[in-house]
Amino acid sequence: MTNDGDSDGDSGGREVNEEDVIVAAVEGGGTTFVVSLAKVVPPSESKAGCERLTDLQVLETHTISSELETPQHTLDEVANFLMAHKPPQQYAALGIACFGPIGLNKSKDYGCILASSPKKAWRGVDIVTPLLEACGNCPHALETDVNAPALAEYWVARTKKGEQISSAAYVTVGTGVGVGLVVNDKPVHGFLHPEGGHVCIQPLQSNGSQDHEGYSWGTERSPYKGVNTVEGVTSSVALTERLLKARALTNSDGDAAAAAAAADGSNERDALKDVPDDHEVWDHSANALANLCVTLILITSVERIVLGGGVMKRSILFPQIRRRVLTLLNNYLELPHHDQENGMDQFITGSTWGDRGGLVGTLLLAQSVYLAKKEKENAVTATKSDDSAFTMGVVHGIILGAGLALAALTLVRKR
């Protein structure tokens, strides 16, 4: 995948020929929406499954805040960009990846942010319809903002690195914890989509005088009320609340309201950047994520786990998580290459794409929709050709048969 466009803002001045195939991608994240346009590079040969995805040339990329006056303002900005850059031949496909929970099944909630979303202003907002209209109602695909980067990681492992894996998981750790899964070339769906950030964990004992009782975001609608869950322990909100609570206890000022402040603003969460590597909050974070990895391993036998998001910029977490995974598994499973040097580094790892994984995955979604449509059209054309050949064969057969019958009748009459 090549990038000829600016990382932010309009690149401008790039010519698009009428024969070019242009796809659009919209990645809706917690704080920004990123819009990108790319040209599909013709494949040198057709391949099956996810491996058929060819290269893309990124032409334009633009970032829009998702914290404007209203969600509609954000969607209007995205739609305006798509319409302003619409190619003469129209968009070939649109890929959309968005935070959730979001309706993925074709039902009344399709494309809408569900009522359980922590982003209250976005609850019930239809993401898909205005973007589709801006793109001329072209073919599209919708995914979560974690399934898309999971697809990107799976794709690069299969097509660029030549790894024979059939599954990959992507975990993002920020204000929340999201899990994306790709199994047998396809992002995992069910009646909704994976919500692995809300599974329970085996917690560590706190070094403080009181154990952490979950995080403030979990009290309203989160499973288990956010107590001893992955998100309730290792999201930036939960880590900050634990940190502020520990400070309040240390200072003996009884400031019970300090922890709740982490849920309302980023200034307090920014304080995590200054916490030393040997602070106990990172032990709790590593343990929670190791529990999640073990759950994914035991349930899905996943072959690659990629960890990303703001919290994972704390690089000391990776070796702690890997060691804790082996401890929790208790020699029950022999993980691939875990006994080799750097083996676990390849199994539980950071993103190949850095912060671009979601956008790359969203572009791949758009491309896959276009290629699927093209394959279907080619199949229809081939079927019509076969039908025409069959029809002509029948006609020739009838003519030949009639000729033979006439010849036979003539011979009978002569006799």
Side-chain angles (χ1 to χ4, degrees):
M1 180 173 295
T2 59
N3 187 355
D4 289 345
D6 293 344
S7 60
D8 189 19
D10 300 353
S11 58
R14 287 185 173 78
E15 295 183 2
V16 176
N17 299 321
E18 290 188 2
E19 64 272 15
D20 289 341
V21 176
I22 307 300
V23 297
V26 178
E27 180 199 10
T31 58
T32 61
F33 271 60
V34 181
V35 194
S36 188
L37 311 180
K39 180 171 72 173
V40 177
V41 179
S44 57
E45 58 181 359
S46 178
K47 294 183 179 181
C50 191
E51 293 177 331
R52 70 183 179 173
L53 293 169
T54 58
D55 207 357
L56 290 168
Q57 180 185 359
V58 178
L59 304 175
E60 310 272 357
T61 301
H62 185 54
T63 301
I64 298 164
S65 173
S66 61
E67 299 179 337
L68 298 179
E69 186 177 346
T70 66
Q72 192 58 50
H73 280 81
T74 298
L75 293 175
D76 286 346
E77 288 289 325
V78 175
N80 290 339
F81 179 87
L82 290 169
M83 289 187 290
H85 293 80
K86 187 181 295 183
Q89 66 275 35
Q90 305 296 316
Y91 293 111
L94 169 66
I96 304 171
C98 190
F99 60 85
I102 187 170
L104 294 181
N105 295 326
K106 295 298 178 68
S107 65
K108 65 177 182 178
D109 293 325
Y110 178 73
C112 295
I113 304 299
L114 302 183
S116 54
S117 172
K119 296 177 73 67
K120 295 181 181 180
W122 287 83
R123 291 174 182 174
V125 173
D126 182 352
I127 301 293
V128 171
T129 299
L131 303 185
L132 266 183
E133 291 176 350
C135 290
N137 292 305
C138 62
H140 78 285
L142 172 66
E143 265 303 340
T144 65
D145 61 344
V146 279
N147 265 350
L151 181 63
E153 298 294 341
Y154 178 77
W155 177 79
V156 75
R158 289 287 299 240
T159 64
K160 300 299 184 182
K161 298 179 181 180
E163 298 179 27
Q164 297 302 307
I165 64 173
S166 62
S167 58
Y170 180 86
V171 180
T172 183
V173 193
T175 55
V177 177
V179 178
L181 275 173
V182 173
V183 177
N184 295 329
D185 288 350
K186 295 181 180 180
V188 171
H189 295 174
F191 68 89
L192 186 60
H193 48 72
E195 283 288 350
H198 297 289
V199 299
C200 280
I201 68 166
Q202 182 184 70
L204 295 177
Q205 292 298 312
S206 176
N207 292 332
S209 59
Q210 295 183 20
D211 288 334
H212 189 56
E213 297 178 353
Y215 72 141
S216 58
W217 280 18
T219 56
E220 183 185 3
R221 303 188 73 146
S222 292
Y224 311 105
K225 295 186 177 181
V227 179
N228 293 337
T229 65
V230 180
E231 185 170 294
V233 171
T234 193
S235 65
S236 61
V237 174
L239 291 173
T240 304
E241 290 180 355
R242 180 187 291 274
L243 179 66
L244 294 178
K245 180 180 178 181
R247 287 176 178 174
L249 290 170
T250 300
N251 297 333
S252 300
D253 58 7
D255 186 11
D264 299 322
S266 61
N267 291 335
E268 292 81 2
R269 292 194 292 274
D270 287 342
L272 287 173
K273 293 184 294 187
D274 300 323
V275 177
D277 287 348
D278 59 356
H279 196 284
E280 73 162 324
V281 296
W282 306 123
D283 297 332
H284 291 284
S285 177
N287 177 67
L289 291 169
N291 272 262
L292 174 58
C293 291
V294 168
T295 299
L296 291 171
I297 293 165
L298 294 177
I299 292 178
T300 69
S301 292
V302 67
E303 296 155 287
R304 176 67 43 77
I305 300 176
V306 180
L307 305 176
V311 171
M312 291 310 303
K313 294 184 184 300
R314 181 70 59 151
S315 59
I316 55 101
L317 287 173
F318 281 98
Q320 287 184 252
I321 292 166
R322 295 173 187 130
R323 289 194 297 268
R324 185 63 177 159
V325 164
L326 294 175
T327 299
L328 291 172
L329 282 173
N330 195 31
N331 295 317
Y332 182 72
L333 297 175
E334 184 174 328
L335 297 179
H337 313 300
H338 84 277
D339 57 341
Q340 300 177 11
E341 185 177 0
N342 299 324
M344 285 293 286
D345 293 7
Q346 298 172 18
F347 179 50
I348 299 175
T349 185
S351 174
T352 303
W353 303 99
D355 294 334
R356 297 172 55 232
L359 183 60
V360 171
T362 312
L363 284 166
L364 291 174
L365 281 175
Q367 185 185 33
S368 65
V369 171
Y370 161 71
L371 291 175
K373 178 187 176 186
K374 186 176 179 181
E375 288 177 1
K376 185 176 181 180
E377 290 173 348
N378 291 341
V380 170
T381 300
T383 300
K384 288 182 178 179
S385 298
D386 292 343
D387 289 346
S388 297
F390 175 76
T391 301
M392 291 302 297
V394 171
V395 171
H396 289 156
I398 292 173
I399 293 173
L400 179 61
L404 292 173
L406 181 60
L409 181 61
T410 302
L411 286 174
V412 170
R413 286 179 176 177
K414 285 182 177 181
R415 288 178 180 177

